[in-house]
Amino acid sequence: MNINWYPGHMKKTRELIKEQLKLVDVVYELLDARIPLSSKNPDIDGIIGDKPKVIILNKIDLADPQITSRWVNYFKEKGMTVIPVNTITGEGIRQVIEESQKAIKEKMDALIKKGRKARPARIMIAGIPNVGKSSLINKLAGRKSTQTGDRPGVTKGKQWIRLKGDMELLDTPGILWPKFEDPIVAQNLAFSGAIKDEIMDTETLAYKLLEILWNDHKEKVIERYKINEEYNSTIDIMDHISRNRGCILKGDEIDYSRISNIILDEFRSGKIGRISLERP
């Protein structure tokens, strides 16, 4: 499956990040805990250079907790500041604020030494579409400051938002990169919803996802979809799930479009279980 999606506004976002970088003290790089490497935009490090950065592993409530713990160690061993976060419960939010203040303490102390007044810390948040930026910002701000949605492209332009702990945050729209060199990365991004379903062949996408889940997380698929037979092919599993869910057209044909959307939605919402598609 050949997947590429790089609409014009993403090129503008890349330019916006480069332009606004001089205004900020710290960058939050937001990753999807289920696919930390696939959701890490390879352009970001080159754009932000030496600017202090905090990696935030979001959506830990949807990922396998043991594998998330291994990812935290993976990034720490590379000398990176990394914080796992659940924007539903608020887990990790206080640590994000503390790490941000720590990262700019030296800069603020230098301002005070010069006789100038310490100003609010300025933060930029960057990440791929649909990785939960808006939900994170609302938790950091302690109120609903920005629109959220379970689809890519909800944030349209830059906006400054006041956060707790005397900080200001510059939100930016989700940004991918022009060409996915690795088809597995593109596939993982599509599974997570970072690429718009409207441009996808969702039936093939759901088939590929089900194939991976059956191979690597079989017990979760069996439990979720009440499978009590042994199947050797993905299409037979898909047909079984379709019949269980009543996704049948006239003439007893399988409604593959409907069951594909169900499988994708239930993976993305964690209904199939806490599943990580990548391991360190």
Side-chain angles (χ1 to χ4, degrees):
M1 184 186 286
N2 185 27
I3 303 169
N4 266 299
W5 183 53
Y6 191 68
H9 75 267
M10 288 193 185
K11 185 175 184 294
K12 288 180 185 169
T13 298
R14 194 179 190 280
E15 290 161 2
L16 171 75
I17 290 171
K18 286 175 85 170
E19 284 169 17
Q20 302 296 319
L21 201 61
K22 59 183 177 292
L23 301 177
V24 303
D25 305 302
V26 184
V27 175
Y28 290 167
E29 183 178 18
L30 200 53
L31 306 181
D32 186 325
R34 297 167 297 177
I35 50 167
L37 291 187
S38 292
S39 61
K40 188 168 176 34
N41 187 330
D43 290 347
I44 295 292
D45 287 342
I47 294 170
I48 69 171
D50 297 331
K51 192 75 68 172
K53 182 178 75 174
V54 176
I55 289 178
I56 298 174
L57 286 179
N58 197 23
K59 303 196 177 187
I60 59 170
D61 51 308
L62 302 178
D64 182 315
Q66 291 182 320
I67 295 175
T68 297
S69 179
R70 287 173 57 193
W71 277 116
V72 169
N73 291 334
Y74 169 88
F75 286 112
K76 282 182 176 175
E77 282 168 9
K78 290 184 174 292
M80 301 177 187
T81 301
V82 56
I83 302 166
V85 162
N86 179 344
T87 54
I88 295 169
T89 63
E91 181 185 347
I93 297 298
R94 178 174 292 191
Q95 195 182 348
V96 170
I97 294 169
E98 288 170 357
E99 284 295 339
S100 306
Q101 291 169 334
K102 203 186 295 181
I104 60 131
K105 186 178 185 305
E106 200 176 311
K107 194 172 190 177
M108 293 302 120
D109 288 348
L111 282 176
I112 292 165
K113 265 189 180 176
K114 289 177 183 174
R116 292 165 64 185
K117 196 175 176 184
R119 57 167 175 76
R122 293 183 190 132
I123 295 148
M124 177 186 285
I125 189 165
I128 64 167
N130 203 32
V131 77
K133 290 194 300 297
S134 298
S135 298
L136 174 67
I137 291 165
N138 291 338
K139 275 290 178 191
L140 287 166
R143 64 188 185 284
K144 188 163 183 181
S145 307
T146 185
Q147 187 185 358
T148 63
D150 187 21
R151 65 190 191 282
V154 171
T155 305
K156 298 296 184 187
K158 68 172 183 178
Q159 49 182 326
W160 282 98
I161 297 152
R162 175 72 74 161
L163 305 182
K164 297 173 186 173
D166 196 26
M167 300 191 296
E168 293 173 349
L169 184 140
L170 176 64
D171 185 20
T172 59
I175 178 175
L176 291 170
W177 49 107
K179 186 170 174 55
F180 304 129
E181 302 294 344
D182 185 342
I184 300 299
V185 167
Q187 193 171 267
N188 284 340
L189 290 169
F191 290 154
S192 74
I195 298 170
K196 282 190 175 180
D197 283 342
E198 289 89 329
I199 69 147
M200 302 295 305
D201 172 358
T202 52
E203 292 179 24
T204 302
L205 188 66
Y207 178 93
K208 290 271 189 191
L209 175 61
L210 186 58
E211 188 174 55
I212 290 166
L213 296 180
W214 187 253
N215 287 332
D216 299 340
H217 308 277
K218 192 173 183 177
E219 71 292 339
K220 287 186 167 68
V221 177
I222 287 170
E223 186 180 345
R224 178 66 188 170
Y225 296 112
K226 308 292 183 284
I227 297 173
N228 48 21
E229 299 171 51
E230 191 57 49
Y231 291 106
N232 296 318
S233 76
T234 306
I235 198 67
D236 287 342
I237 301 162
M238 208 166 191
D239 289 356
H240 176 105
I241 297 169
S242 301
R243 295 186 189 285
N244 271 5
R245 292 298 182 90
C247 297
I248 306 295
L249 299 167
K250 283 181 182 175
D252 202 36
E253 284 185 32
I254 301 294
D255 188 344
Y256 287 113
S257 176
R258 190 169 155 219
I259 197 59
S260 296
N261 288 327
I262 287 172
I263 290 167
L264 289 168
D265 287 345
E266 293 195 351
F267 166 72
R268 291 168 184 170
S269 62
K271 287 177 182 171
I272 299 174
R274 296 179 69 174
I275 293 169
S276 297
L277 296 178
E278 290 181 329
R279 295 165 187 258

